[in-house]
Amino acid sequence: MSDVSETTARERPAPTLNYPFEKGPQDGQAIDIAAGVKWLRMPLGGPLGFINVWAIAEEGGWAIVDTGMGGAETMHAWRDAFDGPLRKRPATRVFVTHMHPDHVGMAGWLTRKYDVPLWMSRLEYLSCRSLSADTGREAPSDALRFYRGAGWDEDSLETYRTRFGTFGKYMHVLPDSFHRLVDGQEMMIGDHRWRVVVGSGHSPEHACLHCPDLQLMISGDQVLPRISSNVSVFPTEPEADPLSEWLASLARIKSQVGDEVLVLPAHNDPFFGLHARIDHLISGHEQGLLRLQDLLREPKRAVDCFSALFRAKITPGLLGMATGESLAHLNCLIGRGLAVRETDANGVAWYHATA
């Protein structure tokens, strides 16, 4: 299960970023990023291969930031980490940037193993609890209507029915309470003060952590150096405009976080060049919106829009992600008054440009 767009995204050539580390940590290893901050990797299936997680030294142990996908393989990796580079010192608390299983999947296990609190934004915690409650349920009629309206055929809908309700299988059960992270909140983690910087669009209330003293920003999936975060519309909120939220969040992060920071992303490697990367991400999506608007000179369904947004052919395994991204761009155009949606007698939505 991946929550980021990969090589299918039609991005312009990326700016030259500075990657100060020749390679990342290997299994059972950690790399010192700054005084008291360690970089570890947890295994992750699929093309991404791993997720970056972070350990910050505190009195009595380590504050952990992001946790990896739930499951036995990641559990063994964490045990090796605590027995090895974390020098048998326990977790003191667990921070999670957002609700996706590769970030929150082991949070329940870590907090229970070490009897420590979970720190998370409210919307991420509650959204995660809500999605976990769908585990084992049949696909709801609203969701089937949503994807049929986007242009899915019966085979694709049947695949969705089969796979629905698996979110909770990728994570340990969350603790029943949490400590809330709020935008602008400042707190001591170890020897330094960190500030919460919240973004939205990729997830409801994504919490980055910025430490001005160390010139670091743990960015989660909000800013990634080589791939673009998935920004999608889902059946639970079909009229949502997450792309506008995400673009505004990126601009706000650029205005609040200096370009001198070393960005610690969830995927790929730590890098310098935050502002250039943000500019590139924003301009790339704006170019995609222009291509999409041009495509909509003739009415199109959501599934007809992939060519304007993605380089490669969308395989069945990427259909859900691609459909969600396309709807995010379509809803953004509608919100800007540049497109309209009409639904035919079969419940299929058709979009066309207004100019």
Side-chain angles (χ1 to χ4, degrees):
M1 176 180 292
S2 171
D3 56 77
V4 290
S5 300
E6 299 171 41
T7 56
T8 52
R10 285 188 60 176
E11 288 193 55
R12 298 180 298 106
T16 301
L17 305 177
N18 180 5
Y19 298 92
F21 298 94
E22 292 186 3
K23 61 181 181 179
Q26 304 303 304
D27 292 346
Q29 297 179 349
I31 290 176
D32 290 323
I33 291 289
V37 181
K38 291 184 179 292
W39 171 22
L40 303 93
R41 281 177 168 170
M42 292 293 133
L44 186 65
L48 294 176
F50 59 84
I51 180 173
N52 299 321
V53 299
W54 317 95
I56 304 172
E58 294 199 289
E59 183 177 354
W62 300 94
I64 302 300
V65 185
D66 283 343
T67 69
M69 190 83 76
E73 185 178 9
T74 315
M75 185 186 304
H76 292 311
W78 272 116
R79 286 174 172 158
D80 290 343
F82 280 104
D83 286 342
L86 300 185
R87 302 190 295 275
K88 298 186 182 297
R89 299 174 66 213
T92 54
R93 45 184 166 167
V94 175
F95 292 86
V96 172
T97 58
H98 64 294
M99 67 175 186
H100 293 142
D102 55 332
H103 297 259
V104 74
M106 293 297 292
W109 181 80
L110 284 166
T111 54
R112 289 182 177 90
K113 177 177 176 61
Y114 294 104
D115 191 24
V116 296
L118 170 66
W119 290 71
M120 204 169 175
S121 69
R122 178 186 286 171
L123 276 178
E124 298 294 332
Y125 177 82
L126 295 178
S127 297
C128 191
R129 290 285 295 264
S130 176
L131 287 171
S132 298
D134 284 340
T135 303
R137 285 184 58 202
E138 292 185 357
S141 58
D142 281 0
L144 297 172
R145 189 180 305 113
F146 173 84
Y147 286 115
R148 186 176 287 111
W152 284 21
D153 60 23
E154 289 303 318
D155 287 344
S156 299
L157 291 170
E158 183 57 34
T159 299
Y160 178 77
R161 288 188 186 95
T162 302
R163 295 178 177 176
F164 181 81
T166 60
F167 184 92
K169 295 181 180 179
Y170 297 95
M171 54 179 292
H172 290 260
V173 176
L174 287 179
D176 293 317
S177 63
F178 73 107
H179 291 231
R180 184 182 177 190
L181 296 176
V182 180
D183 186 46
Q185 174 183 0
E186 294 186 355
M187 72 193 82
M188 295 297 294
I189 307 177
D191 295 330
H192 300 278
R193 186 170 296 278
W194 294 72
R195 182 170 61 92
V196 178
V197 182
V198 167
S200 59
H202 174 64
S203 64
E205 198 178 8
H206 183 298
C208 304
L209 295 173
H210 173 215
C211 181
D213 288 347
L214 295 175
Q215 297 185 352
L216 299 176
M217 186 180 80
I218 298 175
S219 66
D221 282 347
Q222 188 70 24
V223 183
L224 301 169
R226 295 192 178 101
I227 50 182
S228 179
S229 306
N230 176 255
V231 179
S232 283
V233 173
F234 297 98
T236 47
E237 192 182 356
E239 303 295 327
D241 185 4
L243 183 56
S244 291
E245 295 176 5
W246 192 65
L247 294 173
S249 295
L250 289 175
R252 191 166 58 85
I253 289 171
K254 181 181 176 182
S255 71
Q256 293 184 357
V257 180
D259 200 32
E260 74 281 354
V261 296
L262 174 63
V263 183
L264 309 183
H267 306 284
N268 311 134
D269 294 338
F271 69 97
F272 290 106
L274 173 66
H275 290 187
R277 182 55 177 159
I278 286 175
D279 289 344
H280 177 258
L281 289 168
I282 291 174
S283 64
H285 281 281
E286 292 292 350
Q287 290 296 317
L289 288 166
L290 289 174
R291 292 192 300 269
L292 182 57
Q293 186 181 2
D294 185 61
L295 183 70
L296 297 183
R297 288 180 295 178
E298 299 293 334
K300 297 289 188 294
R301 304 167 300 171
V303 296
D304 301 324
C305 297
F306 297 161
S307 63
L309 302 174
F310 307 104
R311 287 195 306 265
K313 180 180 178 181
I314 299 301
T315 62
L318 292 173
L319 179 61
M321 182 183 296
T323 301
E325 288 247 13
S326 294
L327 288 166
H329 285 75
L330 290 165
N331 284 3
C332 182
L333 287 179
I334 291 173
R336 294 181 179 185
L338 300 175
V340 294
R341 177 181 60 237
E342 297 177 352
T343 303
D344 66 20
N346 296 316
V348 176
W350 294 85
Y351 300 82
H352 62 87
T354 57

